[in-house]
PDB file of all heavy atoms in Angstrom:
ATOM      1  N   VAL B 854     -16.543   2.662  -0.505  1.00  0.00           N
ATOM      2  CA  VAL B 854     -17.704   3.543  -0.689  1.00  0.00           C
ATOM      3  C   VAL B 854     -18.579   3.522   0.571  1.00  0.00           C
ATOM      4  O   VAL B 854     -18.934   4.577   1.119  1.00  0.00           O
ATOM      5  CB  VAL B 854     -18.508   3.123  -1.948  1.00  0.00           C
ATOM      6  CG1 VAL B 854     -19.859   3.820  -1.987  1.00  0.00           C
ATOM      7  CG2 VAL B 854     -17.715   3.454  -3.211  1.00  0.00           C
ATOM      8  N   VAL B 855     -18.877   2.316   1.067  1.00  0.00           N
ATOM      9  CA  VAL B 855     -19.742   2.210   2.255  1.00  0.00           C
ATOM     10  C   VAL B 855     -19.061   2.843   3.470  1.00  0.00           C
ATOM     11  O   VAL B 855     -19.652   3.663   4.185  1.00  0.00           O
ATOM     12  CB  VAL B 855     -20.099   0.726   2.538  1.00  0.00           C
ATOM     13  CG1 VAL B 855     -20.771   0.577   3.894  1.00  0.00           C
ATOM     14  CG2 VAL B 855     -20.994   0.168   1.436  1.00  0.00           C
ATOM     15  N   GLY B 856     -17.794   2.489   3.689  1.00  0.00           N
ATOM     16  CA  GLY B 856     -17.085   2.983   4.876  1.00  0.00           C
ATOM     17  C   GLY B 856     -16.925   4.494   4.868  1.00  0.00           C
ATOM     18  O   GLY B 856     -17.168   5.156   5.881  1.00  0.00           O
ATOM     19  N   LEU B 857     -16.538   5.046   3.718  1.00  0.00           N
ATOM     20  CA  LEU B 857     -16.286   6.495   3.662  1.00  0.00           C
ATOM     21  C   LEU B 857     -17.593   7.297   3.713  1.00  0.00           C
ATOM     22  O   LEU B 857     -17.660   8.336   4.369  1.00  0.00           O
ATOM     23  CB  LEU B 857     -15.475   6.846   2.399  1.00  0.00           C
ATOM     24  CG  LEU B 857     -14.014   6.367   2.446  1.00  0.00           C
ATOM     25  CD1 LEU B 857     -13.309   6.600   1.115  1.00  0.00           C
ATOM     26  CD2 LEU B 857     -13.237   7.052   3.563  1.00  0.00           C
ATOM     27  N   ILE B 858     -18.638   6.786   3.044  1.00  0.00           N
ATOM     28  CA  ILE B 858     -19.934   7.495   3.104  1.00  0.00           C
ATOM     29  C   ILE B 858     -20.493   7.427   4.526  1.00  0.00           C
ATOM     30  O   ILE B 858     -20.962   8.425   5.079  1.00  0.00           O
ATOM     31  CB  ILE B 858     -20.922   6.908   2.067  1.00  0.00           C
ATOM     32  CG1 ILE B 858     -20.486   7.331   0.662  1.00  0.00           C
ATOM     33  CG2 ILE B 858     -22.353   7.364   2.339  1.00  0.00           C
ATOM     34  CD1 ILE B 858     -21.359   6.806  -0.464  1.00  0.00           C
ATOM     35  N   TRP B 859     -20.403   6.244   5.126  1.00  0.00           N
ATOM     36  CA  TRP B 859     -20.858   6.082   6.518  1.00  0.00           C
ATOM     37  C   TRP B 859     -20.098   7.049   7.440  1.00  0.00           C
ATOM     38  O   TRP B 859     -20.684   7.796   8.223  1.00  0.00           O
ATOM     39  CB  TRP B 859     -20.612   4.623   6.929  1.00  0.00           C
ATOM     40  CG  TRP B 859     -21.136   4.218   8.264  1.00  0.00           C
ATOM     41  CD1 TRP B 859     -21.779   4.993   9.194  1.00  0.00           C
ATOM     42  CD2 TRP B 859     -21.067   2.902   8.842  1.00  0.00           C
ATOM     43  NE1 TRP B 859     -22.098   4.263  10.301  1.00  0.00           N
ATOM     44  CE2 TRP B 859     -21.673   2.977  10.109  1.00  0.00           C
ATOM     45  CE3 TRP B 859     -20.542   1.679   8.411  1.00  0.00           C
ATOM     46  CZ2 TRP B 859     -21.769   1.857  10.954  1.00  0.00           C
ATOM     47  CZ3 TRP B 859     -20.637   0.574   9.247  1.00  0.00           C
ATOM     48  CH2 TRP B 859     -21.250   0.664  10.495  1.00  0.00           C
ATOM     49  N   GLY B 860     -18.787   7.036   7.315  1.00  0.00           N
ATOM     50  CA  GLY B 860     -17.972   7.873   8.198  1.00  0.00           C
ATOM     51  C   GLY B 860     -18.159   9.352   7.945  1.00  0.00           C
ATOM     52  O   GLY B 860     -18.251  10.145   8.882  1.00  0.00           O
ATOM     53  N   PHE B 861     -18.255   9.733   6.679  1.00  0.00           N
ATOM     54  CA  PHE B 861     -18.319  11.168   6.343  1.00  0.00           C
ATOM     55  C   PHE B 861     -19.698  11.752   6.635  1.00  0.00           C
ATOM     56  O   PHE B 861     -19.822  12.842   7.190  1.00  0.00           O
ATOM     57  CB  PHE B 861     -17.958  11.367   4.868  1.00  0.00           C
ATOM     58  CG  PHE B 861     -17.755  12.807   4.492  1.00  0.00           C
ATOM     59  CD1 PHE B 861     -16.522  13.418   4.674  1.00  0.00           C
ATOM     60  CD2 PHE B 861     -18.797  13.552   3.961  1.00  0.00           C
ATOM     61  CE1 PHE B 861     -16.333  14.751   4.340  1.00  0.00           C
ATOM     62  CE2 PHE B 861     -18.615  14.890   3.619  1.00  0.00           C
ATOM     63  CZ  PHE B 861     -17.379  15.491   3.811  1.00  0.00           C
ATOM     64  N   PHE B 862     -20.741  11.003   6.238  1.00  0.00           N
ATOM     65  CA  PHE B 862     -22.093  11.585   6.308  1.00  0.00           C
ATOM     66  C   PHE B 862     -22.865  11.187   7.567  1.00  0.00           C
ATOM     67  O   PHE B 862     -23.754  11.908   7.995  1.00  0.00           O
ATOM     68  CB  PHE B 862     -22.926  11.160   5.080  1.00  0.00           C
ATOM     69  CG  PHE B 862     -22.467  11.814   3.808  1.00  0.00           C
ATOM     70  CD1 PHE B 862     -21.608  11.150   2.945  1.00  0.00           C
ATOM     71  CD2 PHE B 862     -22.884  13.101   3.480  1.00  0.00           C
ATOM     72  CE1 PHE B 862     -21.176  11.746   1.770  1.00  0.00           C
ATOM     73  CE2 PHE B 862     -22.458  13.711   2.307  1.00  0.00           C
ATOM     74  CZ  PHE B 862     -21.594  13.033   1.449  1.00  0.00           C
ATOM     75  N   PHE B 863     -22.582  10.044   8.110  1.00  0.00           N
ATOM     76  CA  PHE B 863     -23.480   9.526   9.149  1.00  0.00           C
ATOM     77  C   PHE B 863     -22.834   9.336  10.520  1.00  0.00           C
ATOM     78  O   PHE B 863     -23.308   8.546  11.332  1.00  0.00           O
ATOM     79  CB  PHE B 863     -24.108   8.202   8.670  1.00  0.00           C
ATOM     80  CG  PHE B 863     -24.892   8.356   7.401  1.00  0.00           C
ATOM     81  CD1 PHE B 863     -24.389   7.887   6.194  1.00  0.00           C
ATOM     82  CD2 PHE B 863     -26.116   9.016   7.402  1.00  0.00           C
ATOM     83  CE1 PHE B 863     -25.098   8.057   5.015  1.00  0.00           C
ATOM     84  CE2 PHE B 863     -26.829   9.188   6.221  1.00  0.00           C
ATOM     85  CZ  PHE B 863     -26.323   8.705   5.019  1.00  0.00           C
ATOM     86  N   THR B 864     -21.724  10.005  10.772  1.00  0.00           N
ATOM     87  CA  THR B 864     -21.157   9.960  12.120  1.00  0.00           C
ATOM     88  C   THR B 864     -21.115  11.391  12.672  1.00  0.00           C
ATOM     89  O   THR B 864     -20.969  12.344  11.911  1.00  0.00           O
ATOM     90  CB  THR B 864     -19.725   9.372  12.138  1.00  0.00           C
ATOM     91  OG1 THR B 864     -18.892  10.146  11.273  1.00  0.00           O
ATOM     92  CG2 THR B 864     -19.715   7.912  11.699  1.00  0.00           C
TER      93      THR B 864
END
Side-chain angles (χ1 to χ4, degrees):
Chain B
V854 168
V855 170
L857 289 174
I858 288 179
W859 186 358
F861 190 85
F862 289 97
F863 301 106
T864 57

